Amino acid sequence: MKSHNLKLYNTLSRQKEEFKPINPPFVGMYVCGPTVYGDAHLGHARPAVTFDTVNRYLTHLGYRVRYVRNITDVGHLTGDADEGEDKIAKKAKLEQLEPMEVAQQYTDTYHRDMALLNTWKPSIEPRATGHIPEQIALVEAILKEGLAYEVNGSVYFDVLKYNQTNQYGKLSGRVLEDLMSGTRDLDGQGEKRNSVDFALWKKAAPEHLMKWDSPWGMGFPGWHLECTAMSSKYLGTQFDIHGGGMDLMFPHHECEIAQGNACNHQDPARYWMHNNMITINGQKMGKSLGNFITLQELFTGNHKLLDQAYSPMTIRYFMLTAHYRSTLDFSNEALKAAQKGYKKMINGLRTAQLLEYQADDSTALDEKQIQQIESSIANAYRSMDDDFNTAQAIGHLFNLLKKINSIFTGQLKSAALGEEVFEKLKNTYITFVTDILGLIEEKSDNQGSMIDLLLKLYSEAKTARDYAKVDEIRAGLKDMGFVVKDMKDRIDWAYEE
């Protein structure tokens, strides 16, 4: 395992902490996945890309990561609390489908979009409906501890009693007294002892589509319960990293901590990581504002707010240009800038893959160039070790790219670096772009052969001094998004930046 002083920001302690896994080299990471009742949107993409990058970097350092990301297919109600209709069941009624048809359809489209963003599949992807017995067992354990109560077939977590020996609100910084004074009894919450209590198990009305038998009658699990059940089953009662969007910090993750302490007498995770929110042109994304954009709409450009289509790798690159804990504003201007940056980085990748060391005994080592390269490599790693700062790492990669381009154009001889530093420069750039940042070259199946043919015609026209044909081919390639590069020893191409 590579020696790195990796630090990450722990939401629980509100500071950066050195990462020390419970059982190295193994790392357990649980991330809250989607509720599958609609197409994946930008809000789904950010945690997926964030924690994919965390997974990639930890793997690169030599850790063996078990990455668990759940699918919520029951229990998430329309009010994001304990009242309202099940989001999936509501969609099923609208579309006249079985709830599991809805869940399967949108799980499939989520997987499709995550594959386009080049995210690694999780090690385990459990579904809430596949873990009903585990959730019932958890409710029974919390009841046995005296920290829950049953009313009319529903079971609620007793927050006030829990708070006598624990601290409900420690993750989000909420104060229980403030929460209680800021809430009032709503319709349907009358059976709770206190408004802050949350459902572990809900009694199902006769018309409710998704329900299971339990010791308390027919019902369904509370939304918060599934993550406790599935994380503890696959990662143990305490694991290394729990991740998700900042919107899940309260109440979802707060309730997970309470449930974990109630039945296992410890916090479920050592480190809590939260990615920040996205905005659209400075506004929070929402259907009522008309700025709700799905990933497919981004990829096709089929949305009134979009000037054009933006490729999956452009979206991924754009997300990586901001620190995951900072807000990220989507606008056409920012996305077009990201498109240029992505193409520049991929042009660099293609160039780096072509470079070969040229030994030359007459060339002296250039210590200044070597020192600059070593410094940029160290800084790229230092950025990732500092709470996965991909934005800074990308800046240092572009410094390495300048050296790669200088070697490619002949301004800098590879022999001036020595073979070891040359290989380190080339391999670090390739590894960071592909393995750590997860960026790939986007090209159609026949793109390479088509460009090769056009460059052959270009070369023939140039040899024949048919400059009208040369200009025509160059302009045609430019219209397709490619630029011709006339090199001393050959003709090459690059993506237009």
Side-chain angles (χ1 to χ4, degrees):
M1 210 158 45
K2 296 172 186 175
S3 177
H4 275 255
N5 184 26
L6 174 61
K7 291 188 175 181
L8 53 84
Y9 183 86
N10 190 350
T11 310
L12 194 61
S13 65
R14 291 165 183 72
Q15 62 185 12
K16 290 178 188 176
E17 297 178 13
E18 186 178 349
F19 179 59
K20 293 181 178 179
I22 296 166
N23 185 29
F26 301 97
V27 172
M29 180 167 74
Y30 186 92
V31 177
C32 291
T35 301
V36 282
Y37 69 102
D39 287 320
H41 52 74
L42 283 170
H44 293 123
R46 194 166 197 198
V49 169
T50 294
F51 293 102
D52 178 62
T53 308
V54 170
N55 186 14
R56 284 170 175 274
Y57 190 61
L58 290 173
T59 300
H60 173 72
L61 294 183
Y63 291 108
R64 292 180 58 184
V65 183
R66 178 178 285 178
Y67 176 21
V68 181
R69 185 185 66 206
N70 70 297
I71 295 287
T72 296
D73 55 2
V74 69
H76 194 170
L77 306 184
T78 51
D80 287 345
D82 296 333
E83 300 306 316
E85 215 173 341
D86 186 289
K87 292 186 176 187
I88 290 164
K90 183 180 179 182
K91 185 79 168 182
K93 284 180 188 174
L94 286 171
E95 299 191 7
Q96 295 185 306
L97 297 170
E98 277 287 325
M100 285 298 101
E101 283 184 274
V102 170
Q104 189 63 52
Q105 175 187 337
Y106 291 115
T107 299
D108 290 346
T109 56
Y110 175 78
H111 286 154
R112 172 201 66 198
D113 292 344
M114 294 308 108
L116 289 170
L117 289 169
N118 197 35
T119 62
W120 287 351
K121 293 178 180 177
S123 318
I124 303 171
E125 191 173 53
R127 294 180 179 222
T129 54
H131 297 77
I132 300 298
E134 290 88 346
Q135 294 181 76
I136 289 173
L138 262 179
V139 178
E140 290 178 319
I142 296 170
L143 278 165
K144 192 175 178 182
E145 292 286 340
L147 292 172
Y149 55 92
E150 187 252 337
V151 185
N152 301 326
S154 292
V155 182
Y156 295 97
F157 191 95
D158 193 333
V159 171
L160 263 67
K161 192 169 182 185
Y162 168 81
N163 212 52
Q164 291 172 3
T165 53
N166 290 277
Q167 185 189 347
Y168 183 79
K170 66 180 182 179
L171 180 70
S172 60
R174 311 284 177 108
V175 178
L176 187 57
E177 289 74 16
D178 294 343
L179 288 171
M180 291 182 69
S181 64
T183 58
R184 56 186 175 85
D185 276 351
L186 301 170
D187 290 341
Q189 289 192 337
E191 63 186 22
K192 292 184 185 181
R193 290 179 185 169
N194 288 285
S195 57
V196 290
D197 294 347
F198 57 90
L200 299 172
W201 187 265
K202 284 285 287 182
K203 180 181 181 179
E207 68 276 10
H208 200 89
L209 294 175
M210 306 171 80
K211 53 194 173 189
W212 292 263
D213 197 12
S214 78
W216 316 284
M218 295 298 289
F220 56 93
W223 174 36
H224 314 304
L225 192 68
E226 62 175 282
C227 289
T228 300
M230 293 186 284
S231 63
S232 58
K233 175 166 183 173
Y234 297 111
L235 298 173
T237 55
Q238 190 176 59
F239 49 94
D240 296 301
I241 298 171
H242 195 313
M246 199 172 276
D247 56 323
L248 296 176
M249 194 190 305
F250 186 88
H252 188 54
H253 291 164
E254 201 73 73
C255 294
E256 279 188 65
I257 288 177
Q259 290 165 169
N261 276 286
C263 55
N264 301 318
H265 308 290
Q266 59 184 346
D267 286 350
R270 276 194 175 181
Y271 305 93
W272 289 82
M273 293 179 66
H274 293 92
N275 63 272
N276 213 322
M277 298 294 96
I278 59 154
T279 53
I280 312 290
N281 299 318
Q283 283 188 306
K284 186 178 177 183
M285 189 173 77
K287 287 179 180 174
S288 61
L289 296 170
N291 66 355
F292 184 88
I293 306 178
T294 68
L295 292 176
Q296 281 299 309
E297 286 170 337
L298 266 171
F299 300 158
T300 60
N302 185 25
H303 193 284
K304 63 182 181 180
L305 292 179
L306 299 174
D307 292 347
Q308 62 176 72
Y310 299 99
S311 73
M313 286 299 98
T314 297
I315 301 304
R316 183 179 179 109
Y317 175 86
F318 179 54
M319 290 185 170
L320 294 171
T321 58
H323 191 274
Y324 76 89
R325 285 194 290 115
S326 64
T327 54
L328 183 58
D329 186 54
F330 277 77
S331 67
N332 283 290
E333 294 73 26
L335 287 167
K336 286 172 186 172
Q339 190 174 48
K340 283 187 174 182
Y342 161 70
K343 286 180 178 178
K344 184 177 180 181
M345 185 159 274
I346 293 302
N347 282 334
L349 178 66
R350 294 183 68 253
T351 302
Q353 289 167 335
L354 289 170
L355 289 183
E356 290 183 5
Y357 183 71
Q358 304 293 325
D360 182 358
D361 292 338
S362 64
T363 301
L365 290 177
D366 189 329
E367 295 297 340
K368 184 179 178 183
Q369 295 283 353
I370 291 170
Q371 191 274 329
Q372 287 173 350
I373 289 166
E374 294 279 16
S375 177
S376 292
I377 290 172
N379 285 334
Y381 274 106
R382 196 173 291 118
S383 299
M384 291 302 293
D385 289 339
D386 183 16
D387 194 29
F388 307 97
N389 196 329
T390 54
Q392 282 189 4
I394 285 170
H396 297 303
L397 289 182
F398 280 130
N399 286 335
L400 293 179
L401 180 53
K402 288 175 188 173
K403 306 300 183 187
I404 288 167
N405 286 335
S406 293
I407 295 169
F408 189 69
T409 58
Q411 290 173 283
L412 174 64
K413 290 186 176 181
S414 56
L417 305 178
E419 189 169 6
E420 185 180 339
V421 173
F422 168 81
E423 292 296 339
K424 191 176 178 183
L425 164 67
K426 174 179 171 175
N427 294 334
T428 299
Y429 185 85
I430 292 171
T431 298
F432 257 85
V433 173
T434 58
D435 294 355
I436 297 173
L437 299 181
L439 296 167
I440 53 175
E441 184 180 357
E442 292 175 313
K443 55 185 179 183
S444 59
D445 293 339
N446 62 353
Q447 176 181 300
S449 55
M450 177 195 69
I451 294 175
D452 288 345
L453 175 61
L454 287 169
L455 288 184
K456 183 171 181 288
L457 294 171
Y458 178 89
S459 180
E460 289 170 357
K462 202 173 176 189
T463 303
R465 298 181 182 239
D466 184 350
Y467 296 119
K469 180 63 72 176
V470 166
D471 290 343
E472 184 186 349
I473 295 171
R474 183 183 283 276
L477 280 164
K478 192 171 191 299
D479 288 342
M480 294 159 61
F482 309 108
V483 291
V484 179
K485 297 173 77 174
D486 287 298
M487 314 296 291
K488 283 181 183 176
D489 55 343
R490 67 186 181 283
I491 295 166
D492 202 351
W493 65 273
Y495 293 101
E496 186 181 20
E497 296 170 12

